[in-house]
Amino acid sequence: MHRLLFEKTGNAVWISHLDLMRLFQRAFKRAGLPLTHTQGFNPRPSVSIALPLSVGVESRCELLDFDLECPIPEEEELISRLNAALVEGVRVLRAYADGRKLRDLCYLNCDVVLEYDGGVPAGAGEAILTLLDQPELNVEKKNRNGVTVQNIASMIRERSMETGAFGELILHATVCCQNPTLNPAQIIAAIEKYLPELAPDFFRCCRVDLLDREKNQFR
């Protein structure tokens, strides 16, 4: 399998995971790059995305694995042909002849922007960082089996805070992304539960980079 690094930004963040898969399947076809298909009664195009991205979340480090029936073009040509067939906001950045095994993927660097309509409350940054240092942060997590309670404290490995534009705090965090998995939105859920007076009026998330267990860049 070959691998692409791509970003999903702007209005494209509202494309669902399944629609994103279909978008890439059509893009390969329009670019004249026929995908191989799985075997069996219901053949599917050989294309998969490493970590499904929640709707509304931006990313600059998405990974997509694919396999072609034809010879793989040179990287520059491959990227150019695919980008010409993709929509605005979804853009291929790099192509790799062979990527690392997904089992080696462990951590995610992300930015969580907290927006306060009336300006950042005094001491909010320090209070939130102190909260994230607590040994227990139990928040609800919805899954196909219903709602469970998850302690996210141990899944936050590094964190720092900076002030952004007016009314914004930017949390930089390194979190677990596989076994177990932490959705950065759960950090907001913890703030809303334990520090309701500091809950943001709005927030947005961006995946920045993927890391292995030694916290080296994963590709």
Side-chain angles (χ1 to χ4, degrees):
M1 296 287 280
H2 296 258
R3 179 166 290 168
L4 298 177
L5 170 70
F6 72 95
E7 65 179 11
K8 184 183 177 190
T9 61
N11 289 332
V13 301
W14 305 112
I15 300 174
S16 71
H17 176 68
L18 290 179
D19 285 339
L20 184 64
M21 293 283 287
R22 297 187 188 101
L23 171 65
F24 268 102
Q25 291 168 14
R26 291 195 297 268
F28 275 100
K29 186 175 182 178
R30 290 170 179 166
L33 300 167
L35 293 163
T36 62
H37 285 68
T38 59
Q39 303 298 312
F41 293 104
N42 186 25
R44 297 184 179 183
S46 300
V47 57
S48 62
I49 295 175
L51 296 174
L53 189 64
S54 300
V55 173
V57 177
E58 187 176 72
S59 179
R60 304 185 185 279
C61 59
E62 294 302 285
L63 298 179
L64 178 144
D65 289 344
F66 68 97
D67 192 26
L68 298 183
E69 293 179 348
C70 63
I72 305 292
E74 294 294 326
E75 180 181 8
E76 185 175 342
E77 179 187 353
L78 175 65
I79 292 174
S80 177
R81 288 166 66 176
L82 284 174
N83 282 340
L86 290 167
V87 301
E88 183 178 355
V90 179
R91 187 167 68 97
V92 177
L93 304 174
R94 290 289 310 276
Y96 304 89
D98 192 20
R100 296 177 61 182
K101 299 293 185 183
L102 291 180
R103 63 172 177 265
D104 296 331
L105 175 57
C106 191
Y107 300 114
L108 166 70
N109 281 344
C110 62
D111 289 344
V112 183
V113 181
L114 293 73
E115 299 184 7
Y116 298 90
D117 292 341
V120 178
E126 294 80 359
I128 291 172
L129 290 180
T130 299
L131 172 68
L132 299 182
D133 283 339
Q134 300 305 306
E136 189 170 293
L137 292 173
N138 294 315
V139 297
E140 292 185 347
K141 180 181 181 179
K142 295 181 180 179
N143 54 45
R144 65 185 64 184
N145 297 319
V147 178
T148 59
V149 176
Q150 187 176 37
N151 181 8
I152 67 171
S154 63
M155 291 184 276
I156 304 172
R157 297 306 174 94
E158 296 179 7
R159 83 293 175 279
S160 63
M161 189 80 74
E162 69 170 300
T163 302
F166 174 78
E168 289 186 354
L169 286 176
I170 304 174
L171 173 66
H172 305 289
T174 300
V175 302
C176 295
C177 65
Q178 281 203 121
N179 304 315
T181 299
L182 172 64
N183 185 332
Q186 291 177 276
I187 296 176
I188 300 298
I191 296 171
E192 292 173 341
K193 178 179 179 179
Y194 294 98
L195 297 173
E197 70 282 5
L198 300 180
D201 297 293
F202 184 76
F203 73 92
R204 59 185 190 274
C205 300
C206 178
R207 289 179 177 176
V208 178
D209 211 351
L210 300 174
L211 309 174
D212 62 16
R213 192 168 299 278
E214 288 72 41
K215 298 182 181 176
N216 298 314
Q217 188 179 65
F218 178 90
R219 293 290 184 269

